[in-house]
Amino acid sequence: MNLEQFRQEAHGLVDWMVAYLSTIERRPVRSPATPGSIAAQLPAAAPEGPEPFEAIFRDFERIVMPGMTHWQHPRFFAYFPANSSPPSVLAEMLTATLAAQCMLWQTSPAASEMEGRVLDWLRQMLGLDAGLAGVIQDSASSATLCAVLVARERATGWQANEAGLGACPPLAVYTSDQAHSSVEKAVRIAGLGRSALRLVPSDERFAMRADALAGMIEADLRAGVKPACVVATLGATGTGGIDPLAAIGRLCRAHDIYLHVDAAWAGSALLLPETRWMIDGIEQADSFVTNPHKWLRTNFDCSVHYVRRPDELVRTLSVMPAYLTGPGTGQAVDYRDWGIPLGRRFRALKLWFVIRSYGISGLQAMLRDHIAWTRELAAWIEATPGFELVSPPVLGLLSFRCRPSGLDAEGLDALNRRLVERINDDGRIYLTQNIVRGRFALRFSIGQATTERRHVEEGWAVVRELAEQVVRTRNV
Ligand SMILES: *Cc1c(COP(=O)(O)O)cnc(C)c1O
């Protein structure tokens, strides 16, 4: 493809993008594809010679599009949102065109310096203290892995990297029973073994019980196990649980334990001063992660990872003697040893486009709407006979179930399982499920950037309509 053809095709694609986004509501949210149906339409081997773009694009529409789930659909209420926005897409077009590897300052000074600046903007926007320096990771999972690795090194006097874990005392990592699976994955990858992971019980609001954490730390100390790390969650994936940071932080300081805060989803809400109670005690945390690619209009991937001691992160991950000694606030740095991969995309650009395009106030308005509509939805659920909340509204998340009379626990689980399948096959909305304290529940997550109040109303109407059908036919 020469540049003239590129110009033509690119203009055509922009028209396609606008048509797609402006009519997305007419599509079923979740792809109706069955397993293997897309692969069956793709040739088993690559073409010998070049094919015209026209043919490739025809197959994109014919084969690929029916196999897509539409995450930017305004009635996408599943998982957590994966936000995007026109300015973010425009920045991604530039990033792809520049196609730079931004691992060192000198491999693209602008990428490095903008990352530092934009992450300091975001730090202030989120109400995080000035002792934290930021870096963009591909995902919250990577940030949490980095945290567990630094904690491991700190707890072993930097010996695990040198001599291997065989030469070190057994370590323990604590997180709530509501925490994301990425914590267990990090513990396993770090070589600590899943048996090093302690799941701390949560209370009736799904928040980690600090008294239970204290008990588990004491028990480990008595048994000769070294407490290395606590991963606190702000906004647990299933239930929205918000761990008590101040109490957890005090325990961590008392026992010299590394404290990482996983706010992958809920962290964006810190843009709102009224939610900042969540980070009461953040000065005690060693690191913090949140994903603008979830709830801040920024395309995947963009996970922001703040650390109090960049020198420790670099010392853990660098394969050369540490050459980064301070947080270097406001200065350019080489980010190559702030994460697992060496190569880095220019991801700060889209965050810069997004923050400037919407301003703090525009982003706050979106978050406030989503939170208000989630509270409204909770009120509708509570006011509807035959339904109940299973976990209360937290920011943009709640879970609920259909509860007609005359069914035992197993019957209710089976009915709600059928309901979520019925809803997602229907296609007007998309919800996912969870097991909360042994009960099958439907999660309703409001956070898509284009969702309006009417979409939430429509979503609730679809749930009621299909629940009625499922209840009516349950004995058929
Ligand atoms: C989504 C989520 C993660 C994982 O995020 P990735 O960026 O996909 O790794 C981790 N923790 C919590 C609380 C989450 O909600």
Side-chain angles (χ1 to χ4, degrees):
M1 185 181 285
N2 64 36
L3 286 179
E4 213 27 66
Q5 288 168 314
F6 172 69
R7 182 203 307 281
Q8 235 175 24
E9 301 302 353
H11 280 298
L13 284 196
V14 172
D15 289 338
W16 183 91
M17 292 177 198
V18 172
Y20 169 71
L21 291 172
S22 58
T23 58
I24 194 168
E25 271 190 61
R26 293 186 213 143
R27 296 174 186 262
V29 190
R30 192 191 64 173
S31 167
T34 51
S37 60
I38 308 299
Q41 299 175 73
L42 299 169
E48 192 54 45
E51 294 188 68
F53 186 75
E54 208 188 345
I56 302 169
F57 193 72
R58 207 181 315 119
D59 285 347
F60 165 76
E61 290 206 285
R62 187 174 62 86
I63 303 171
V64 178
M65 284 308 286
M68 293 307 295
T69 289
H70 301 287
W71 283 72
Q72 303 313 313
H73 197 299
R75 287 190 304 271
F76 182 100
F77 303 120
Y79 304 97
F80 277 136
N83 277 186
S84 176
S85 61
S88 180
V89 172
L90 292 174
E92 284 285 43
M93 287 162 72
L94 297 178
T95 297
T97 304
L98 297 168
Q101 273 295 347
C102 307
M103 59 254 188
L104 300 173
W105 177 83
Q106 65 178 4
T107 62
S108 276
S112 197
E113 296 194 12
M114 177 167 299
E115 187 157 334
R117 179 64 77 205
V118 172
L119 289 203
D120 203 55
W121 284 8
L122 191 62
R123 179 191 64 70
Q124 298 168 52
M125 290 162 64
L126 299 175
L128 300 173
D129 61 273
L132 291 165
V135 57
I136 303 183
Q137 309 283 7
D138 54 5
S139 65
S141 303
S142 292
T144 297
L145 173 58
C146 288
V148 170
L149 292 173
V150 175
R152 182 192 74 185
E153 289 312 301
R154 233 198 230 181
T156 60
W158 311 89
Q159 278 309 297
N161 262 346
E162 272 315 305
L165 282 168
C168 303
L171 305 180
V173 174
Y174 310 80
T175 199
S176 106
D177 59 14
Q178 302 295 308
H180 192 265
S181 55
S182 55
V183 181
E184 178 178 328
K185 204 188 242 185
V187 167
R188 289 203 264 165
I189 297 172
L192 304 180
R194 200 176 52 174
S195 60
L197 184 66
R198 309 277 183 270
L199 292 184
V200 185
S202 53
D203 64 17
E204 70 291 346
R205 303 286 296 181
F206 306 98
M208 185 194 288
R209 278 178 41 207
D211 62 322
L213 172 64
M216 290 167 112
I217 291 172
E218 295 296 345
D220 276 324
L221 288 170
R222 277 196 303 274
V225 175
K226 191 163 174 39
C229 184
V230 174
V231 179
T233 308
L234 303 182
T237 313
T239 53
I242 294 168
D243 293 348
L245 215 49
I248 294 169
R250 276 193 296 277
L251 282 169
C252 289
R253 288 292 73 84
H255 295 286
D256 196 20
I257 302 172
Y258 187 103
L259 174 56
H260 175 62
V261 179
D262 176 3
W265 158 68
S268 292
L270 293 170
L271 248 75
L272 307 176
E274 62 268 29
T275 70
R276 299 259 172 91
W277 59 268
M278 289 196 293
I279 47 165
D280 186 20
I282 189 71
E283 327 72 54
Q284 320 246 40
D286 293 285
S287 52
F288 173 95
V289 63
T290 189
N291 287 349
H293 69 231
K294 272 187 169 148
W295 201 12
L296 215 59
R297 292 185 182 266
T298 308
N299 279 68
F300 188 84
D301 52 347
C302 184
S303 185
V304 299
H305 178 200
Y306 287 96
V307 296
R308 213 164 279 290
R309 294 285 305 270
D311 58 319
E312 290 191 348
L313 179 59
V314 170
R315 184 171 172 192
T316 299
L317 297 177
S318 177
V319 289
M320 302 193 300
Y323 52 87
L324 258 173
T325 51
T329 312
Q331 283 172 268
V333 289
D334 292 326
Y335 286 110
R336 53 164 281 178
D337 288 324
W338 290 53
I340 310 291
L342 170 64
R344 316 184 76 247
R345 294 183 344 106
F346 188 0
R347 288 175 295 219
L349 191 69
K350 59 191 169 190
L351 203 47
W352 191 57
F353 272 40
V354 166
I355 294 171
R356 293 187 62 188
S357 296
Y358 295 100
I360 296 173
S361 61
L363 296 169
Q364 286 174 326
M366 177 191 77
L367 295 160
R368 282 204 175 99
D369 280 343
H370 291 162
I371 293 169
W373 299 334
T374 307
R375 288 208 189 104
E376 263 190 286
L377 173 64
W380 299 338
I381 291 170
E382 288 196 294
T384 308
F387 284 93
E388 69 177 2
L389 283 176
V390 175
S391 66
V394 177
L395 307 173
L397 175 71
L398 57 75
S399 61
F400 70 99
R401 65 176 179 168
C402 176
R403 194 182 185 176
S405 54
L407 282 181
D408 61 9
E410 272 176 29
L412 282 176
D413 283 355
L415 179 96
N416 281 283
R417 207 179 286 276
R418 276 203 303 282
L419 175 58
V420 77
E421 281 167 15
R422 181 78 188 80
I423 288 170
N424 293 335
D425 288 344
D426 174 85
R428 280 175 288 173
I429 66 173
Y430 186 19
L431 301 181
T432 40
Q433 64 215 36
N434 189 27
I435 308 278
V436 182
R437 307 264 193 255
R439 294 180 298 173
F440 188 95
L442 283 72
R443 284 171 82 264
F444 203 116
S445 157
I446 301 175
Q448 224 302 101
T450 55
T451 298
E452 296 168 23
R453 188 175 174 281
R454 67 180 171 93
H455 297 115
V456 179
E457 285 183 295
E458 288 161 13
W460 177 231
V462 168
V463 171
R464 276 185 336 226
E465 175 194 321
L466 298 179
E468 210 169 279
Q469 287 181 15
V470 169
V471 169
R472 195 167 355 102
T473 58
R474 72 178 181 221
N475 295 318
V476 179

